Amino acid sequence: MAAARQTLFRSLTRCALSQPRACIRFQTTATKASNELIKEQREKCFAELGIQPYPRYAAPAPEYPLVSHAHMHSRWGKSLDSGAKLTDAKLTIQGRLVSKREASKKLFFFDVEQDGQTVQVVASQVRYDGDSTQFQAVNRALMVGDIVRFSGFVGKTNTGEISVFATHRPELLAPCVRPIPLRSGLSDMEKRFRNRHLDLLVNPKAKRVLKMRAQALQYIRRFLDSREFLEAETPVLSPSVGGASARPFITKAMAFDETMLYMRVAPELYLKQLVIGGLDRVYEIGKQFRNEGIDADHNPEFTTCEFYMAFAALEDLMQMTEDLLRGMAETLTGSAAVSLPGDDADSAPINFGPSFRRIDVMQELRKHIPELPQTLNEGSLNELQSILAGRDIPVAHPHTVPRLLDRLIGFYIEPQCVQPTFLYGHPAIMSPLAKCADSEQTVSARFELFVNGKELVNAYEELNDPNQQRVKFQAQAMERDQGDDEVPLPDSAFCDALEAGLPPTAGWGMGVDRVIALLSGVTHLRETIAFPIMRPLAK
């Protein structure tokens, strides 16, 4: 690391031949004291050269218009011959200095990066129209990591590299006074995510993933907007919590005499009230907060997209799910077939092109567990506990019927779902907010989409009978009494809202972070989040 820093700051060896005291050579180390020394030496150098290190931004001179790196490459990258110079094509480029080479005291080469693209700058004293006595000093004062601007004309070097041939004094827009490991790299996970700005500067893939995230969100919005959905925003803080079984984060509102408030675990109940209010198609893309563990597939703060569509049924949602994910894969990756990352890279790609496979949950479970009860309700707990114990399938406490059924599905069925697979036909007891698909009220009108063994989508036809909803909320309260503190308390206000009349509605939710991880080829959710939560450092 010390060698990398020495390389990074080698341009500080001499700031100017006429200012040796301000710009002496020194060795850098990874200590705070050395960072302060670097800062002090650079400040002295700037003062003696008359460089304002943090100027107000101003547009370049009109005769040297600002041009993006992308435009330079597309406009002149292939059209110019090696060695050609277009002295009339005057322009200005700006960005971060990522490389610097001093060929002689009268010739410097710089690489300037902007938005992932790099352009070379050739600074020669022969073309310099400023004070020639300061040419060497000013160019030596620039360091890798600085934000800079160069003005000159377009051309290609004899080796064929598109370049700006600088004619004016370089402009420092903001200096870098701390080491950036551009050459040594940054691979340690702790250091990467605790210093995300450095991670993005030195690891191009980290930046690509965040760009793909933005593209994915744009695609989802376009998809839903084109189908006449209305984007809505619902409360993140609320005096009640519901829409999913999860342990919430809790805070207090000083404005309400320290009333307890919950950070939402799902926006479902509010979005359905918007449908009751006459907004037939609504969606929300937003953060959810669940006070749970952190692993490759879970993060306490995560992003979902939920939509609710009046006068629609389960089959409509399945078709929309296929269309959305197929189109997103093709738009973001160029193909409906997506390669798996990491250890699964040699496996067959995930193919969103064909119609998704469908598995009836109960039929599939009974292939593995013939003794599974025909009817599953609150009274099935002992039988399910015996089945799990007899098959040596571990399951964490508390034991409730929904939790044990979920464990069996996770053990026997989810590993089969590598290619996109709809799981449907869940027992009604697992879905307290869903309608039933049968007259006996035993099977929910619900599906989950699993891809590569992970749940991406959960959807169902919404229960709109307020009396049945109250009964199901009371059944959930019994699970809470059994020790499942993730089960939300009954929401009587929501049941009251149902009495105003919720049209037949289909609801759908997708974990955005998981989808982006799959499409971008990363194995951990934190790669898809700009600033993932990290364990606090010990003081």
Side-chain angles (χ1 to χ4, degrees), residues 298 308 341:
H298 298 86
Y308 293 83

Side-chain angles (χ1 to χ4, degrees), residues 336-365:
V338 179
S339 299
L340 290 172
D343 296 336
D344 298 323
D346 295 331
S347 303
I350 301 297
N351 194 348
F352 291 103
S355 295
F356 297 175
R357 180 187 180 196
R358 300 187 182 193
I359 295 178
D360 184 305
V361 167
M362 293 311 295
Q363 287 185 11
E364 187 67 23
L365 275 183

Side-chain angles (χ1 to χ4, degrees), residues 256-503:
F256 301 143
D257 299 323
E258 296 195 348
T259 298
M260 185 178 296
L261 294 177
Y262 301 92
M263 298 186 74
R264 71 179 178 192
V265 298
E268 177 171 345
L269 302 187
Y270 282 112
L271 288 172
K272 286 194 279 193
Q273 290 178 64
L274 292 179
V275 179
I276 295 171
L279 301 176
D280 286 350
R281 297 186 177 194
V282 294
Y283 74 95
E284 181 170 12
I285 298 174
K287 294 288 189 182
Q288 317 307 326
F289 306 89
R290 300 182 182 179
N291 201 349
E292 58 188 20
I294 301 175
D295 58 31
D297 301 316
H298 298 86
N299 197 68
E301 175 188 354
F302 61 101
T303 300
T304 66
C305 173
E306 290 199 18
F307 72 73
Y308 293 83
M309 183 178 180
F311 312 112
L314 212 59
E315 195 63 38
D316 300 308
L317 297 185
M318 287 183 168
Q319 187 61 55
M320 287 183 69
T321 303
E322 292 189 8
D323 292 344
L324 172 68
L325 290 173
R326 184 178 300 119
M328 189 187 301
E330 290 173 347
T331 301
L332 271 60
T333 71
S335 172
V338 179
S339 299
L340 290 172
D343 296 336
D344 298 323
D346 295 331
S347 303
I350 301 297
N351 194 348
F352 291 103
S355 295
F356 297 175
R357 180 187 180 196
R358 300 187 182 193
I359 295 178
D360 184 305
V361 167
M362 293 311 295
Q363 287 185 11
E364 187 67 23
L365 275 183
R366 288 196 170 94
K367 292 179 183 178
H368 301 275
I369 314 171
E371 69 273 24
L372 195 68
Q374 290 298 315
T375 302
L376 291 162
N377 52 37
E378 294 85 353
S380 307
L381 181 60
N382 291 336
E383 291 177 90
L384 291 175
Q385 286 176 322
S386 297
I387 288 171
L388 285 154
R391 294 165 183 265
D392 293 325
I393 301 175
V395 58
H397 286 277
H399 288 179
T400 64
V401 172
R403 279 178 173 267
L404 299 188
L405 285 170
D406 189 66
R407 181 70 181 98
L408 290 171
I409 294 170
F411 187 83
Y412 286 110
I413 302 179
E414 291 174 12
Q416 303 179 36
C417 306
V418 177
Q419 295 300 322
T421 305
F422 289 126
L423 303 186
Y424 69 97
H426 299 74
I429 194 171
M430 297 183 70
S431 311
L433 294 168
K435 271 189 173 181
C436 288
D438 62 332
S439 57
E440 291 80 18
Q441 303 290 301
T442 60
V443 179
S444 62
R446 174 193 179 191
F447 73 80
E448 296 174 292
L449 175 68
F450 276 79
V451 180
N452 198 27
K454 300 172 184 179
E455 180 191 353
L456 298 187
V457 174
N458 185 29
Y460 41 82
E461 295 177 18
E462 303 298 332
L463 180 60
N464 60 351
D465 182 335
N467 295 326
Q468 285 191 20
Q469 189 63 81
R470 287 189 173 95
V471 170
K472 289 196 174 188
F473 277 163
Q474 289 303 318
Q476 274 194 304
M478 293 175 60
E479 295 171 19
R480 193 174 179 87
D481 292 339
Q482 292 173 328
D484 191 349
D485 58 1
E486 294 187 355
V487 173
L489 293 168
D491 191 328
S492 59
F494 174 69
C495 294
D496 292 343
L498 286 178
E499 292 182 344
L502 172 66

